[in-house]
Structures are given as structure tokens and as C-alpha cells.
Amino acid sequence: MSIARRRLAAALGALVLLLLPGPATADLSPEERTRILRHGPWPPPWRPDGGNRLSGDPAAAALGRALFFEPRLSADGAVSCATCHRPELAWTDGRTRSVGLAPMDRNAPSLLDARGRRWLGWDGASDSLWAASLRPILEPGEMGGTPGRVAALLREDEHLSALHRALPARAAPEDETGLAVDAAKALAAFQETLVSRRTRFDRLRDGLAAGRPDAAAGYPADALRGLRLFVGRGNCSLCHAGAAFSHGEFEDVGVGYFLERGRVDPGRIGGIDRLRASPFTRLGRWNDGGDARPTRHLVARHRDFGLFRVPSLRGVAATAPYMHDGRIPTLEAVVRHYSEIDEERLHADGSRLVRPLRLSAGEQADLVAFLRTLTPE
Ligand code: HEC
Ligand code: HEC
């Protein structure tokens, strides 16, 4: 071959590499396709929360944003929501367990996509985003605030009171608790605007939905193998279901529930007790409407002990460490946990949904590569 022809061949080879459509999706079975399609589309449709008269209101979101970064809500004037939900850390704090006025027992979840959740908190102690936003203000070890302190800020601070006056008025007179609830509803309206961006996975998924032969263009081959494990032998989709990669309910995957000094985190069963004891639920007078049936029909069962809410996996690469108490530091270690899960530690007496998967090192790496494609680049 002449030098010119060799150069031409090399150039053609490079061109072919550039145009390659990524890993082939042709060998996905119809069943695999169906399962993959169920994880979208993203973002999902959303309707304002009927329980929050300020839901979806831009003026309320503006007040909520100001309150989110406001340390004067707390007893010592030093802790704001953003102390533990830092925007630059995907609305987490990067810590194992959060520290407010006192150390907490749990890891701070991201607030992205919180607007779609029926139960909030790892134990589901809140049944609305607004109630989950009031709880940290009033919790003694978290921000240690009071309705009186919140009301004073809304009445007396020039900037905050102007933002508050711009909101639709309530029928009832504005007592301190009512003002604190308004603050929480505005905080919820702000958090409703925090929706995670589309990812490489979404491009693949929508390409498959549209029947495009190049659906996997630019999608890593190892991630595609990991995705097949996720919806297949790994059984991950069973709980990490749907577009949000969570069915939103509570499960046990063998993460310990012992805290130090012989204390345990009771998980869901404690969450149901806390929900029942709170005046700030969908059944209470501060709620504005919407569907209260899930709360009304809640029954605590013995098997709820030690269950935690299935977390969404969107954006998961940005929210280490993992699990309700942050005890697992990396995604690699989470996948190893599922691979080697200790069945002795699964205590729920209901149906057993997880088994040690005994994945090879390559399969574990593939699953991690897939999980990384659920986070925007
Ligand atoms: C001291 C740290 C800390 C502060 C301050 C804090 N949070 Fe949190 N947040 C957490 C932790 C930890 C959890 C998990 C709590 C649980 O499971 O019981 C959480 C959970 C939440 C949740 C539930 C999310 C979900 O998907 O379940 C929402 C919503 C939330 N916080 C909003 C706020 C708002 C709004 C503020 C300010 C008013 C705030 N947080 C202040 C640490 C904090
Ligand atoms: C039986 C339901 C169930 C199955 C099956 C399941 N998970 Fe989970 N997953 C959970 C629950 C519940 C948690 C939180 C546990 C806790 O905090 O104690 C969790 C936590 C996680 C986390 C940590 C997320 C975070 O933000 O802390 C990742 C990552 C994860 N699972 C990935 C997977 C993968 C990969 C598979 C398949 C190999 C899988 N899960 C299978 C229920 C499940």
C-alpha cells in the first residue's frame, strides 16, 4: 500500500469509529425494553399539591428561597436549611450524619425531586413537602426554632414581610402557628422548583421509546451491561422503580439499624408514630386539601420496624455517602453490599425481596457505571 492509501485507510478507520452508534441495543429482549422504558420519561408530569395553597406559586417560591438561606429561623441564629442542604453538594451536606444544634441520627437527603414524594424523611414521618419543611425548623436538635420566632421574622423583617404580603391571603386570622405554616408552605413552593436535569440514561431510554436504532449512541457499553443487570438479575427495579427510581415506600436491604450506645433507629414504625403525633399532616387543620386517604389508612405493623424509604437514584453519584445513616461511603461499596448482603440481617418478617447477588468484579463495575449515568454530567 502506498503511503497515501495507508493514510486514507487510517482516516476512514477513524471516521468509522466516530460514527459508531455506541453499544448495540438490538439484542435487548422485548421484556428488557419494557422494563427500561418504565424508568421514564423525565421529568414526569406534576400537579401542584392540593394540600398547600401556595404550591406552584412563584411569589411563594421567592419567599421560600429567602427563608431557605435564613439562619435566623434557628434558635442560635446560625443554622439554616442550607447548612445541611447545600446547593453545591446537590442539596446534601456531604456528611455521614447531619449536625444541626445537635448531631442527628440520619444522613441528609438531596432535595431534588422532593415534590413528587408521598412520604418524606427516611422514615416517612411527614406526608407533605410543607410538613417536612416545618419539622426541621421546630425540631430541638435541628434548628430549634418556634412558631413565634418564624412569625416575628415574617412580621418584622422588612424584606421577608414584603415577600409575605405578596402571597394570597388565608381565610383564618394570622396567628403565630399559621404564619409558621405559611413559611413552611413557601419553603415547599421553593423546593418544588428543584427538579433534577435529564441524564445520559434518559437519552438512551427516550431513543428506545422512539425506536431509534442509534438509541445508545454515546452511552457507555459497561453502563448498558449494568442497566441490564439492574432491570434483570439484580432485581433493583423492584424497589428502585419508575422514572424516579423509587416506588416511594419502605423496605429493608440489610443496612444495620443500631445507633451507638445501644440505641436503635426504628425506621418506618417510628415514622408512623411521629406522623400520627403531629398536628401538621394531611389530616390536620393546617392542610388545605388534596388526597388524605394514604395518611388516614396508615396502619403500623410489626414488620415496619427497621424499614427505610427507598431512595431515588437520580443524581446518586453526587450525594455520597449513602443509606439512611450514611454508613456506606461510595457507590462501589453500595453495590458490594448488595452483592454480599447478609441474609441474617434482613429482619423484616414480610416477603424477602433481596438475596446476595454474588456479582463478579466486572458486573459490580458495570452496575456502578450504570448508576453514574443517572446523574447529569
Ligand atoms: C441539621 C441539618 C438539617 C437542617 C438544618 C435541615 N435539614 Fe432537612 N433533612 C436533614 C436530614 C438529616 C433529613 C432526613 C431526616 C429524616 O429522615 O428524619 C432531612 C430531610 C429533609 C426533607 C425530606 C426529604 C425527603 O426526600 O424525604 C426535606 C423536604 C427537608 N429536609 C427540607 C429542609 C428544609 C426546608 C429545611 C429548613 C427549614 C431543612 N431541611 C433543614 C437535615 C437537615
Ligand atoms: C427490596 C427493595 C430494594 C431493592 C431490591 C434494591 N434496593 Fe437499593 N435501596 C433500598 C432501600 C430501602 C435503600 C435505603 C436503605 C437504608 O438507608 O437503610 C436503598 C439504597 C440504595 C442506594 C443508596 C442511595 C442513597 O441515596 O443513599 C443505592 C445506590 C441503591 N440502593 C442501589 C440499588 C441497586 C444497584 C440495587 C440492585 C442491585 C438495589 N438498590 C436493590 C431498597 C432496595
Side-chain angles (χ1 to χ4, degrees):
M1 246 197 305
S2 73
I3 290 180
R5 289 182 75 177
R6 229 178 270 168
R7 284 212 182 119
L8 182 66
L12 279 176
L15 190 67
V16 167
L17 272 182
L18 272 177
L19 294 178
L20 262 183
T25 54
D27 54 341
L28 290 175
S29 71
E31 179 60 22
E32 281 176 313
R33 281 168 194 269
T34 307
R35 291 182 180 185
I36 294 169
L37 293 196
R38 285 193 198 122
H39 291 294
W42 191 263
W46 176 75
R47 275 179 297 121
D49 173 9
N52 175 0
R53 79 181 201 290
L54 303 179
S55 177
D57 182 319
L63 172 62
R65 169 183 282 279
L67 290 170
F68 193 87
F69 296 95
E70 179 52 77
R72 287 177 295 169
L73 288 173
S74 66
D76 68 351
V79 184
S80 75
C81 309
T83 303
C84 303
H85 301 287
R86 292 166 54 183
E88 73 279 14
L89 291 180
W91 309 90
T92 68
D93 57 10
R95 289 173 179 268
T96 303
R97 302 186 202 165
S98 293
V99 181
L101 294 181
M104 292 175 67
D105 290 338
R106 300 210 178 126
N107 176 262
S110 170
L111 301 180
L112 287 170
D113 312 322
R115 73 182 188 186
R117 294 180 186 150
R118 168 179 290 170
W119 310 117
L120 292 102
W122 285 101
D123 58 4
S126 301
D127 62 358
S128 72
L129 188 51
W130 73 260
S133 303
L134 187 57
R135 183 178 290 282
I137 300 177
L138 303 180
E139 202 67 50
E142 214 163 335
M143 296 171 76
T146 58
R149 180 184 294 273
V150 181
L153 273 175
L154 288 188
R155 282 179 182 142
E156 290 154 28
D157 180 83
E158 202 180 322
H159 180 54
L160 294 174
S161 65
L163 289 171
H164 185 242
R165 278 196 305 275
L167 304 185
R170 277 181 310 120
E174 299 208 319
D175 63 359
E176 288 182 345
T177 306
L179 283 169
V181 167
D182 263 13
K185 287 178 178 171
L187 279 162
F190 165 60
Q191 293 165 86
E192 286 165 2
T193 65
L194 310 178
V195 179
S196 58
R197 286 183 289 128
R198 284 170 55 82
T199 64
R200 284 178 289 172
F201 168 76
D202 295 312
R203 286 201 294 278
L204 166 75
R205 184 258 170 219
D206 291 354
L208 286 175
R212 282 204 295 275
D214 65 344
Y219 196 75
D222 54 354
L224 186 60
R225 291 193 300 271
L227 168 58
R228 296 176 81 169
L229 271 171
F230 190 89
V231 300
R233 185 159 62 87
N235 248 334
C236 315
S237 289
L238 209 61
C239 302
H240 298 285
F245 289 88
S246 167
H247 62 32
E249 294 293 328
F250 303 81
E251 302 281 357
D252 171 20
V253 291
V255 177
Y257 47 87
F258 277 97
L259 299 157
E260 60 284 300
R261 298 191 299 275
R263 285 190 307 129
V264 297
D265 187 330
R268 182 54 173 152
I269 204 160
I272 294 176
D273 288 346
R274 292 207 290 157
L275 186 74
R276 287 249 172 78
S278 170
F280 306 112
T281 72
R282 292 195 180 273
L283 301 177
R285 59 177 280 229
W286 303 105
N287 194 60
D288 297 319
D291 186 4
R293 276 170 302 175
T295 307
R296 185 166 296 122
H297 297 311
L298 211 51
V299 189
R301 302 153 303 173
H302 174 67
R303 71 169 296 266
D304 290 321
F305 182 84
L307 304 190
F308 294 92
R309 197 188 68 206
V310 177
S312 164
L313 299 180
R314 288 198 174 262
V316 74
T319 61
Y322 301 107
M323 305 304 186
H324 69 273
D325 58 0
R327 75 170 64 198
I328 304 191
T330 62
L331 284 179
E332 285 77 6
V334 172
V335 169
R336 208 177 313 126
H337 168 83
Y338 283 107
S339 186
E340 298 166 2
I341 223 160
D342 179 358
E343 283 183 277
E344 296 291 301
R345 287 186 109 167
L346 296 171
H347 49 83
D349 44 53
S351 63
R352 298 213 156 168
L353 301 176
V354 281
R355 297 246 180 288
L357 294 171
R358 312 261 177 253
L359 302 170
S360 71
E363 288 170 326
Q364 292 187 33
D366 290 345
L367 210 38
V368 171
F370 161 65
L371 291 173
R372 292 196 189 286
T373 67
L374 299 178
T375 302
E377 286 159 291

